[in-house]
Amino acid sequence: MRRLILFVAIALCYIVDSQAQTQFNERPKLVIGIVVDQMRWDYLGRYYNQYQEDGLKRLINQGYSCNNCLINYLPTVTAIGHTSAYTGTTPAFHGICGNAFYKNGVKISSCEDHDVTTVGSNKKDASSPVNLLATTIGDQLRLHTDFKSKVIGVSYKDRAAILPAGRSASAAYWIDTKAGQFVSSTWYMQELPQWAKDYNAQLKKNKELQKVGKNVGLYPLCGHITADMAIAALKGEQLGKGEETDMLCISFSQTDVIGHEYSTRGEHTDEAYLELDKDIAKLLKAFDEQVGEDNYLVFLTADHGAAHNHQFMQDHKLNGGPFKWDEEYVVNAANRLGVRFGLTKNVIKDCLDYRLVLDKDAIREQGVDEQKLRDGIVEELLNTPHVAFACDFKKAATAPIPAFLKERVLKGYHHDRSGDIIFMLEPGWYGFNSKYSSPIGTTHGEWNPYDAHIPLLFYGWKVKHGETSREVHITDIAPTVCHKLHIQQPNACVGEPITEVMGE
């Protein structure tokens, strides 16, 4: 009897393991990528007992969880995170160096494109993936199938819909908050498809949306309409029903907007994640019904995390505080640099995500030795309270900073788009700017676990249940998905497949 039980147990293990293995060239009908903006890894555990069984718990309890997934570059911000997850590479290669960055000396937003126009509203500004240098999972899927696969991105934010889907995407849709509807751009189409027009017509009748208006990002409603738009795309485009594998890239942004406003604790954040759980459950149900439970592959991750609010930290006797850039550094440092180098004009053009952009014209006009000036700025930074490390990007390889931080600095550096000097703050401290965080809110961008430790769950087609605490990276997502699909990795991919997900 014992031998029989042992034999049955071994057989069952073999069956389960073989189900997780893929036959060569075998693919699911649909791949779904879900990014939750500003979701810290610990939110999976913090709310676990409150999640419903068919939402995030379903992904956790039936899927594969990578419990030590880290962002392996600096800075940790939205546009970079979305791009890195889907390209398998970092800003050094994919070129998306922030939500905003300087390109050829001109400051632009990550998806800014003056050669396209908005489709679906009369908004003047238009967006596209024109600034993206590398291919995504979706691009590789389209290439592999001679562009027969459909790849669609949906989000509240333009960058969160556009960058994951890639340059060759079939479409990307985001919300024009002033118009209160989803839009796209002429990069993809000249007119919205009928199913999108129909969904926008429903939004026009949404009384809750009418009430909150352009502030919809501050409410769970933003997640609800994002999920519904994704389902409308699923049905309208008949995703997962064609001969080739399709892909749907969904990003939930309300969690980020709410986090910036209300931080990591409190009723607003609690509500945001419990309502997100309902959105995930609704999506999974739609995938089951439209594609079939065994025919789709899902991964869920985040673009970055968030620090606890500085006052919350101080109230509990923990280290942390607001780094007021304008007050604590620019004015004082500019004065000291002026005296030291005989400057009459400011030589610091901007500070973006803990990186300084120098005004090269002002430096040349004043006849200052640029390298000596760079060295002087780094010195001033290191003498500034609560700055832990600082370095000139040109000297990062030999800078006196820990090796793992040096590596993240270099991976995040693009010579034309990342600025000139980077600095890192002490744990718990973050750049305070009312544009990005309220007095009771927070922000992100640093290397610390609160910003860089993110969830990563795989679920569905040929995914075995389990977990790992091995360190993996956000750049490992794309090669893992491509490995399962038996397609080439994105063309600048530096990540490695997470073979445990495949049962290897």
Side-chain angles (χ1 to χ4, degrees), residues 307-310 313 318-322 425-430 448 450:
H308 292 305
N309 174 264
H310 60 83
M313 295 288 281
L318 296 166
N319 187 48
L425 303 178
E426 294 173 351
W429 288 79
Y430 56 83
N448 309 74
Y450 45 76

Side-chain angles (χ1 to χ4, degrees), residues 4 6 16 43 60 83 108 153 165 200 213 225 235 239 242 298 432:
L4 178 60
L6 179 61
V16 170
Y43 287 163
I60 297 168
T83 308
I108 61 169
N200 277 336
I225 63 178
K235 295 178 179 179
L239 299 179
V298 176
F432 184 83

Side-chain angles (χ1 to χ4, degrees), residues 175-332:
I175 297 178
D176 177 347
T177 55
K178 186 176 181 181
Q181 59 190 39
F182 280 90
V183 298
S184 189
S185 82
T186 51
W187 179 279
Y188 309 98
M189 64 191 74
Q190 297 301 313
E191 185 179 2
L192 292 180
Q194 189 58 49
W195 63 261
K197 292 179 180 179
D198 292 343
Y199 183 67
N200 277 336
Q202 293 179 37
L203 290 181
K204 288 289 186 183
K205 301 175 184 178
N206 189 311
K207 293 183 179 180
E208 187 179 357
L209 180 58
Q210 293 172 4
K211 181 179 179 180
V212 301
K214 63 181 181 180
N215 293 319
V216 63
L218 275 170
Y219 299 90
L221 171 66
C222 181
H224 302 336
I225 63 178
T226 299
D228 288 342
M229 179 63 174
I231 293 170
L234 174 74
K235 295 178 179 179
E237 297 292 343
Q238 293 290 290
L239 299 179
K241 293 185 179 295
E243 293 183 5
E244 302 291 352
T245 301
D246 295 323
M247 186 168 192
L248 182 57
C249 309
I250 309 166
S251 180
F252 290 99
S253 304
Q254 75 283 357
T255 43
D256 182 71
V257 182
I258 291 169
H260 280 301
E261 187 71 17
Y262 299 110
S263 189
T264 60
R265 294 290 184 267
E267 60 179 327
H268 295 285
T269 304
D270 294 346
E271 180 188 28
Y273 283 92
L274 296 181
E275 290 298 311
L276 168 72
D277 184 46
K278 296 176 183 178
D279 293 328
I280 299 297
K282 180 187 287 188
L283 286 170
L284 293 176
K285 182 180 179 182
F287 301 147
D288 289 344
E289 293 174 349
Q290 295 295 312
V291 187
E293 188 172 350
D294 298 324
N295 293 325
Y296 64 88
L297 170 67
V298 176
F299 69 83
L300 181 144
T301 190
D303 53 348
H304 55 75
H308 292 305
N309 174 264
H310 60 83
Q311 191 60 54
F312 171 84
M313 295 288 281
Q314 293 169 5
D315 289 346
H316 292 278
K317 301 181 181 179
L318 296 166
N319 187 48
F323 188 82
K324 298 181 180 179
W325 171 249
D326 290 337
E327 297 174 22
E328 293 190 12
Y329 179 71
V330 169
V331 175
N332 294 333

Side-chain angles (χ1 to χ4, degrees), residues 356-465:
L356 303 186
V357 180
L358 300 184
D359 188 332
K360 307 297 175 60
D361 292 334
I363 294 172
R364 282 191 292 269
E365 287 173 13
Q366 297 176 89
V368 180
D369 184 302
E370 184 180 327
Q371 190 55 61
K372 289 182 178 179
L373 179 64
R374 285 172 173 261
D375 294 342
I377 292 173
V378 170
E379 186 179 328
E380 290 292 342
L381 277 167
L382 291 173
N383 288 328
T384 301
H386 311 299
V387 172
F389 303 100
C391 73
D392 180 344
F393 274 120
K394 290 183 177 180
K395 296 185 175 182
T398 57
I401 58 177
F404 82 95
L405 278 183
K406 192 180 301 184
E407 183 178 340
R408 295 189 191 189
V409 168
L410 290 170
K411 287 181 176 178
Y413 175 61
H414 183 281
H415 69 91
D416 180 48
R417 303 182 179 189
S418 295
D420 302 285
I421 292 166
I422 188 170
F423 62 95
M424 290 140 273
L425 303 178
E426 294 173 351
W429 288 79
Y430 56 83
F432 184 83
N433 186 320
S434 58
K435 182 180 179 182
Y436 300 111
S437 62
S438 74
I440 59 172
T442 190
T443 192
H444 50 85
E446 286 281 22
W447 67 269
N448 309 74
Y450 45 76
D451 282 349
H453 188 188
I454 55 175
L456 176 55
L457 301 169
F458 290 90
Y459 170 83
W461 184 80
K462 303 293 183 180
V463 173
K464 71 170 188 176
H465 172 55

